[in-house]
Amino acid sequence: MKTISIDKEKCVHCGLCVSDCVSGCISFDDENFPKMDDENRCIACQHCFSICPTGALSFNNKNPDESQDVNYDDILSLIKSRRSVRQYKDEEISKELMDKLKNMLPFIPTGCNSHSLHFSIVETKSAMDIIRNKVNDLIIKTMSYKALSPIMNKFSRYKDAFLNGEDVIFRGAPHMIVVSSPLTAPCATVDPIIALSYIELYAQHLGLGTCWCGFAQICLKFYPEICEMLEIPSGYKPVYVMLLGVPKVQYKRTPQPENYKISEIKEIKEKDACIFCRIKRLVTNFLR
Ligand SMILES: Cc1cc2nc3c(=O)[nH]c(=O)nc-3n(C[C@H](O)[C@H](O)[C@H](O)COP(=O)(O)O)c2cc1C
């Protein structure tokens, strides 16, 4: 269950929880307090909880006072404070910060130290706008293919927002980084993800905003003309995309995510896997 509750004494009706909700599932009630419209759409990211300037909003009864203040300096606080930023200022990041990010790249580890990544960094707003417009044109063309309508219907919320002129793919970001690797690299699909994880944390430490962008990654798969624009070398696969810019929003507190399942292995109980379990694991591992 996903719920929000509002301390009416503390709420200042600023609407930050509404505007920063990626799923668009919070709106104002008749008394102008935030309310959850559709918990099925909520992805439990707790952006509403983190962004509330007064700690008036509780997500799933979590107490805002039990969160830490956002802090991008020491490494553990940075990890806890990191958020996906989907609202950016309409400005480019400074050359100084861009250089700092670029100078960090050679230190990113790669499998077998292959060191063969390719970074496409869209450094200007004008270049980003050309890509944004091209992708939008291609998506509109794709939407007109009747055969694809069952797939498009799955993304109907995004489709409607897109048709309303919202930048649902690039979130208005002024920059984007695409990391590609040669298909022959020993860890071709893992290295770019490691790289972007380093970039994300360092960028947020520098006061920048980032957002992993699966939607853009799908576009790169389907629209090779965008790969050309991004100067991705032939034989390289664009593995993932990250948006980058100066954040327009400030988060106030860390989220309180649920724990993962952890097997705390202190001693090994040797056990033969039955033939069905073996096959199941082999198939699962192969499919990944
Ligand atoms: C692999 C990956 C792909 C993602 N793709 C998108 C995307 O296309 N658009 C978007 O707005 N957010 C995207 N996100 C952000 C997630 O929605 C976000 O991480 C999640 O809601 C938790 O919020 P947080 O990152 O602020 O903690 C992506 C995140 C990951 C890790």
Side-chain angles (χ1 to χ4, degrees), residues 194-213:
I194 294 173
L196 285 171
S197 301
Y198 274 60
I199 291 172
E200 173 164 57
L201 287 176
Y202 187 44
Q204 299 216 3
H205 167 72
L206 295 175
L208 300 172
T210 56
C211 187
W212 292 85
C213 194

Side-chain angles (χ1 to χ4, degrees), residues 8 12 18 20 107 156 181 187-188 190 196 250 256 266 284:
K8 293 189 174 178
V12 291
V18 177
D20 208 51
F107 296 90
S156 64
S181 58
C187 299
V190 178
L196 285 171
Q250 294 295 330
Q256 296 178 25
K266 299 202 167 88
T284 315

Side-chain angles (χ1 to χ4, degrees), residues 22 43-47 82-86 158 168-169 171 193 200 211-216 240 243 251 255:
V22 61
I43 58 168
C45 66
Q46 299 185 28
H47 272 227
R82 180 216 58 83
R83 304 286 8 212
S84 295
V85 170
R86 300 188 183 88
Y158 292 106
V168 285
I169 310 282
R171 310 283 182 190
I193 305 297
E200 173 164 57
C211 187
W212 292 85
C213 194
F215 281 151
Y240 232 86
L243 307 174
Y251 295 97

